[in-house]
Amino acid sequence: MSMYLPIAEMATNPFVIVFFGALVGAMSGMFGVGGGFLMAPILFFVGIPPSVAVSTEATQICAASVSGSLAHFRRGNLDIKMGVLLTGGGLLGSTVGVLVFRWLVSMGSVDLVIQIFYVLFLGGVGGMMLVESLQAILRRRAGKAVSLRRRHGFMHGLPFRTKFPRSKLYISALLPITVGVGVGFLSAIMGVGGGFIMVPAMIYLLGMPTLVVVGTSLFTIIFVTANNTLQHAWFNGTVDLVLAGLLLLGGVIGAQIGVRLSGRFNAEQLRVLLAIIVLAVCIKILMDLLVGGPAVQFSFGQGDGGHA
Amino acid sequence: MPDRPLRHFRWSRRLLALSPFPLALLTLLMLLAFAAAPRAQGPDVAAVESQVSVGLFSGKIIVRTFGSTASQDVPVRLELIGPPREVVFTQSVRRFGVKVNEPIDAAPQTIPAIRAELSSTERPPRPAEGPLEAAMIRDGALLLLPGAIKLEPTGLFFAEIPLPASAPPGRYSILIFHDHTGTDGAADAEPVVLAAETFEIRQRGFVALVSRGAKDYAFLYGLLCVLVALSAGGFTERVFRNRR
């Protein structure tokens, strides 16, 4: 059975898309990330044109983030004030990111830049997460208390300090705005929600409590991905509503399975698992960049300036 | 009464005066007809008919072409050319050990979205010309199908061209040739065109609605996508709220 995707202009097996949507949704439910960094390579593998995959994925992540952040809001795990500042920075960053993306397309080096960004950030975040989680597991086994150390650096001495009662923080408003700008920029360049960068940044840079981090991260991702969806649809015409629907269906089912599975692991084990997945994706991209393939190989793609 | 013969005479003169024009027109039409004839009916062709039918079968667009030729001993070749598509050809090269895709400036920027070349003989219609065509074959944009045309001893021929369901909408043309290449030692002889057919692949229903909406009302379509995402997320949370 196959289904025609009107914007991707190709037929695909809807069950395959729903399955992969569920797989990534399960990871999203388990680890509290949007899953865009995993979904993009999977959709490329299925044969969806990269520009359509990146744009449509933003729609799916937006929907998943609405669902997740509403659930966290009802539980009181959402810092709206922090979220608004992160969102403001995120929208600014994603707009700049889209402009830089267009410049890179005109220079003809967008593929290389995307791959290098993926390697750097996946490698950095995955490595940090793996080391930190393994240390926590070892400390737990040794019978020592597990706590996240909050370092007081120069960032906490910046001006425009304001209170964030929900996060129990008194820090400069410039910090969340800067984090938002960075995440929005990377989101536009890499075609991801930015959760896998924002969550560690909120924990390690801003010092937010883990309980509030996931809900606030998802709240910010809603607006960043909605902005990305609108811009991609408006300027590039690459958002496939049918593909988004299939991904949503799978994602919803998978997220529920993921939430149930997450109950079987403790936080450190989950972080180790996520770190291994992130590092595996990083190594795959690095291998593609450095190893294998003939010295000169010819290929072609859409001439519309997509991610291809 | 005396006026009548005179009037009759005048009309006859007018007819005589006009007669060169219909004659010239008739001659011109005859010349045009004869001028067009050699292209459609070469020395090997007495009568040619062809027809194309297009259908969607199990996820593939099947283009069926059938027709007849009077010279069944001469191989038949068929070319299907899809609507134009803008592309960027790239070559993967290593820069400081890192694989980089670099655009090829000299490569064509517009190619047919799909091009198929079929022959009635087992030898390929032609070998792939260079690495760019090899890349097109790998991507499914160029199909070289030897022996795909069934040529009967009676002169009837039949071919099925399996296009992927991703074949883009637009106007497709089919050219049917008599392929003289290699039959009488004239390797570079121009093939005689037997017939040309066109058909159009169009999107219909919901698919057409989404496709047209995304192109013609891009901003509204984008807003709709955002609204769908927001409401789907809200709906999902509502459905699973009580199950958590």
Side-chain angles (χ1 to χ4, degrees), chain A residues 255-268:
Chain A
Q256 296 305 314
I257 297 167
V259 168
R260 280 175 175 78
L261 279 175
S262 69
R264 299 186 182 182
F265 301 93
N266 63 39
E268 285 80 28

Side-chain angles (χ1 to χ4, degrees), chain A residues 279-302:
Chain A
L279 285 174
V281 175
C282 170
I283 290 165
K284 168 77 176 70
I285 296 169
L286 194 64
M287 296 290 273
D288 284 347
L289 269 176
L290 300 174
V291 188
V296 177
Q297 189 186 27
F298 295 87
S299 57
F300 69 99
Q302 278 299 111

Side-chain angles (χ1 to χ4, degrees), chain B residues 21-219:
Chain B
F21 292 103
L23 276 173
L25 193 66
L26 194 65
T27 312
L28 186 67
L29 283 172
M30 282 173 73
L31 280 172
L32 282 173
F34 280 116
R39 187 173 164 80
Q41 298 183 342
D44 299 308
V45 187
V48 170
E49 270 186 274
S50 66
Q51 210 168 341
V52 172
S53 73
V54 184
L56 190 65
F57 305 99
S58 63
K60 276 195 168 185
I61 298 169
I62 305 288
V63 181
R64 288 185 172 140
T65 310
F66 51 95
S68 65
T69 169
S71 41
Q72 60 276 15
D73 50 330
V74 183
V76 175
R77 196 157 66 84
L78 187 150
E79 276 185 30
L80 177 140
I81 299 164
R85 172 191 177 191
E86 283 185 16
V87 291
V88 177
F89 279 95
T90 54
Q91 58 179 328
S92 180
V93 291
R94 290 201 179 278
R95 293 272 176 266
F96 308 107
V98 176
K99 216 158 51 177
V100 184
N101 284 337
E102 284 187 348
I104 308 166
D105 294 332
Q109 293 181 339
T110 307
I111 58 166
I114 288 182
R115 185 183 174 97
E117 295 185 24
L118 292 76
S119 65
S120 59
T121 56
E122 284 307 318
R123 87 186 139 82
R126 60 181 178 79
E129 287 172 3
L132 298 188
E133 278 206 349
M136 287 163 66
I137 291 172
R138 210 171 44 240
D139 196 67
L142 176 62
L143 308 168
L144 297 176
L145 306 168
I149 303 174
K150 305 282 173 268
L151 185 59
E152 299 291 328
T154 52
L156 293 171
F157 64 85
F158 173 78
E160 272 192 357
I161 313 167
L163 298 181
S166 58
R171 186 159 286 278
Y172 288 70
S173 60
I174 292 179
L175 293 169
I176 302 161
F177 299 103
H178 254 170
D179 192 359
H180 291 273
T181 309
T183 53
D184 52 0
D188 53 355
E190 279 291 308
V192 180
V193 178
L194 297 182
E197 299 279 348
T198 58
F199 65 93
E200 197 171 347
I201 293 180
R202 259 184 263 158
Q203 293 178 337
R204 288 174 62 194
F206 178 71
V207 168
L209 188 75
V210 172
S211 183
R212 217 178 304 136
K215 279 177 191 139
D216 299 343
Y217 308 98
F219 180 74

Side-chain angles (χ1 to χ4, degrees), chain A residues 231-257:
Chain A
Q231 289 205 30
H232 279 303
W234 194 6
F235 297 116
N236 304 329
T238 46
V239 180
D240 197 313
L241 207 50
V242 178
L243 178 62
L246 293 172
L247 288 173
L248 270 172
L249 185 66
V252 166
I253 299 163
Q256 296 305 314
I257 297 167

